[in-house]
Amino acid sequence: MRRGSASIAANPVLIGAATTLVIIVAVFLAYNANSGLPFVPTYELKTQVPSAAQLVKGNDVRIGGSRVGAVTDITPVTAKDGSVSALLTLKLETSVKPLPVDSTVLIRPRSALGLKYVEISKGTSSRGYDDGATIPLRNATPAPVELDQVLDTFDDKTRAASQSNLTEFGNGLAGRGPDLNRAIEELNPLLTNLVPVMQNLSDPRTKLGRLVTALGRTSSIIAPAAETQAALFANLDTTFRAFANVARPFLQDSITGGPPALDEAIKDFPQQRPFLANSEALFRELRPGVRALSTSAPVLADALEIGTPTLRRSVAFNNRLKPTFEALARFAEDPLVSLGVRDLKSTVTILAPTIAHLAPVQTVCNYATLWFRNVASLLSVGDANGTSQRFIIIATPQGPNNEGGPSSAPANGGVPGKQDNYLHTDPYPNTASPGQPKECEAGNEPFVVGKQVIGNSAGTQPAKTESTKPEQ
């Protein structure tokens, strides 16, 4: 009897083993599904993104909303400037190979719970990335503000402040329904006129972004002066409150009369330019005098203070001088006066060299004053018999040719043992006059012992003014 072949369905052990193997394979495939099925070819790329926050391994990679791969690795990268970015390893299907080099990468939220995925926007370039290439950071699009970031802004303090704002705004708007209605009615023309303004502001040529940046820098610079600015606004409030008290009619009249005044100024100012230019030149030339006023102003002030009462008295004084000036006028009109003036001019012209020669005798050497002082000293103190000339008989020196009698020559010697029979005379001493040395020789020349000296002494004597004060 021949045994029939056994069926696998009749063997429970084989059925259990097959079932276990199928489950193991299914679990293995499910576990590795995010990383790609085994034995299936893939296209691997790396990409740099500014931030991989809340992105984990296994997140989807999508193109046009369709899943084309998964994230297999996330690695932080530090640049040379110290900035940190993330390097993602993407395992993609070969159907997207090669990915154009102008493609962009964006990390987007998949749900409100924080799940993320990588979205690739394919470019149009004819060149593509090779397997294992890296998409540079410049191709990564900055992530937009997400819902979870918005919700994170409403912390406890913000929620409490929002509640307070709602309460205060509600109290502020209560009972003002008609006013709000009128405000909304007026907003329509405002918004209509606002459209071209906003268009101009949004035009790149206005460079509004640079203005905002500059305003930010300006605010950071003036931040230390915040208290001073606050005091300024408080003082401005006081000032404007004072303006409000005089708004009518003073300020109103000033504003009303402003346009005609400006029109008149536009017409008159061009005609005033020559005058202003001359005034500018005058004040420029007056600068030295103004600088001198800093030292002379006190003197001028004293002169003005003293001159004020004097000026009041000058009216009466001028009335008294009237006959004098009339006499002077008659004197000036007299023909003999002009003849005398001409003769006086000729006299002054003739005397000018003599005066110029004699002037240093007094101005440098003071000889005229000394002469009058010495003449006065010749008179003795008065007595019962009157005043008489004071004199002393001086005996002449002894020797040949002495001054006591006739001689054949000026005294030029003396008695042996005596040194006084020598003539010393200077009939025309130097007095610093034109053509002479600048010296006061008379009375200052030295006495040379044992030698005859006639005329100017040797050397230059001091050019000093002799004192007229009597010796003590």
Side-chain angles (χ1 to χ4, degrees):
M1 178 176 178
R2 205 177 80 180
R3 178 181 298 178
S5 53
S7 175
I8 189 173
N11 192 337
V13 176
L14 292 178
I15 292 175
T19 302
T20 303
L21 180 60
V22 170
I23 292 173
I24 292 173
V25 171
V27 171
F28 175 76
L29 294 177
Y31 179 77
N32 292 280
N34 288 334
S35 301
L37 298 176
F39 312 113
V40 176
T42 57
Y43 173 40
E44 184 175 288
L45 288 179
K46 297 181 183 296
T47 180
Q48 281 188 282
V49 293
S51 174
Q54 299 182 0
L55 192 69
V56 296
K57 296 180 182 179
N59 285 148
D60 290 349
V61 179
R62 295 175 178 268
I63 296 179
S66 176
R67 185 180 185 279
V68 295
V71 178
T72 59
D73 190 27
I74 302 174
T75 306
V77 177
T78 303
K80 294 181 179 180
D81 59 355
S83 60
V84 179
S85 59
L87 181 64
L88 308 181
T89 302
L90 310 179
K91 186 173 290 187
L92 308 177
E93 297 176 358
T94 56
S95 59
V96 301
K97 183 180 180 181
L99 188 68
V101 295
D102 58 346
S103 301
T104 58
V105 178
L106 172 64
I107 299 176
R108 299 191 62 182
R110 187 173 179 180
S111 68
L113 299 177
L115 187 62
K116 302 293 183 70
Y117 72 94
V118 179
E119 180 181 4
I120 298 178
S121 299
K122 292 185 66 174
T124 59
S125 176
S126 59
R127 296 184 299 112
Y129 290 108
D130 295 330
D131 196 356
T134 301
I135 302 175
L137 183 61
R138 63 176 177 272
N139 287 33
T141 303
V145 178
E146 299 173 4
L147 180 61
D148 56 344
Q149 294 175 328
V150 175
L151 295 177
D152 287 341
T153 61
F154 294 97
D155 54 7
D156 294 340
K157 293 182 179 181
T158 304
R159 290 195 296 271
S162 298
Q163 293 174 358
S164 177
N165 288 338
L166 290 175
T167 302
E168 297 299 331
F169 281 128
N171 295 336
L173 296 176
R176 292 180 173 83
D179 296 332
L180 290 175
N181 293 337
R182 284 194 296 270
I184 294 172
E185 182 180 359
E186 297 295 334
L187 281 177
N188 185 24
L190 171 64
L191 296 177
T192 303
N193 297 328
L194 192 61
V195 171
V197 177
M198 293 296 103
Q199 289 176 348
N200 290 334
L201 291 178
S202 61
D203 194 316
R205 291 176 294 178
T206 61
K207 299 180 181 179
L208 184 61
R210 293 177 57 183
L211 173 63
V212 174
T213 304
L215 289 176
R217 290 197 298 268
T218 304
S219 300
S220 63
I221 293 173
I222 64 176
E227 294 184 0
T228 305
Q229 287 184 332
L232 171 64
F233 283 110
N235 296 332
L236 286 176
D237 177 67
T238 304
T239 303
F240 284 118
R241 190 180 300 113
F243 282 161
N245 295 331
V246 295
R248 294 183 180 181
F250 301 107
L251 289 180
Q252 185 176 3
D253 293 343
S254 299
I255 296 173
T256 303
L262 291 176
D263 293 338
E264 189 66 24
I266 293 172
K267 182 178 66 176
D268 293 343
F269 281 167
Q271 301 176 8
Q272 295 179 11
R273 286 180 180 175
F275 170 74
L276 295 176
N278 293 335
S279 299
E280 187 271 337
L282 172 63
F283 286 117
R284 184 171 61 252
E285 294 174 355
L286 286 176
R287 286 178 181 176
V290 174
R291 283 194 293 268
L293 282 176
S294 61
T295 56
S296 59
V299 179
L300 291 176
D302 295 339
L304 292 175
E305 184 177 357
I306 297 172
T308 300
T310 304
L311 188 61
R312 296 192 186 101
R313 298 177 183 177
S314 64
V315 178
F317 180 71
N318 292 337
N319 293 329
R320 294 171 58 188
L321 287 178
K322 183 177 179 180
T324 304
F325 285 111
E326 290 176 350
L328 286 175
R330 291 192 299 270
F331 178 79
E333 294 172 355
D334 192 338
L336 297 177
V337 172
S338 60
L339 181 62
V341 170
R342 283 195 298 270
D343 292 343
L344 181 60
K345 178 181 179 182
S346 301
T347 303
V348 171
T349 304
I350 295 171
L351 289 178
T354 304
I355 297 299
H357 192 82
L358 293 178
V361 175
Q362 174 60 24
T363 59
V364 177
C365 300
N366 201 29
Y367 283 159
T369 306
L370 291 173
W371 185 83
F372 284 106
R373 188 197 68 177
N374 294 337
V375 168
S377 67
L378 291 175
L379 299 178
S380 63
V381 179
D383 54 16
N385 298 320
T387 58
S388 60
Q389 185 178 11
R390 292 187 299 174
F391 62 91
I392 301 175
I393 299 175
I394 302 175
T396 59
Q398 302 299 315
N401 298 325
N402 65 67
E403 300 176 5
S407 61
S408 60
N412 56 2
V415 179
K418 294 185 177 181
Q419 300 292 332
D420 56 355
N421 190 30
Y422 289 92
L423 178 62
H424 290 77
T425 180
D426 187 5
Y428 191 58
N430 293 326
T431 58
S433 298
Q436 296 181 353
K438 192 174 180 60
E439 62 177 342
C440 297
E441 194 172 25
N444 293 322
E445 66 268 41
F447 184 85
V448 182
V449 179
K451 185 178 179 180
Q452 183 187 76
V453 180
I454 300 176
N456 301 112
S457 302
T460 301
Q461 316 310 320
K464 63 180 181 179
T465 302
E466 295 294 328
S467 174
T468 57
K469 294 181 179 180
E471 296 181 359
Q472 299 297 327

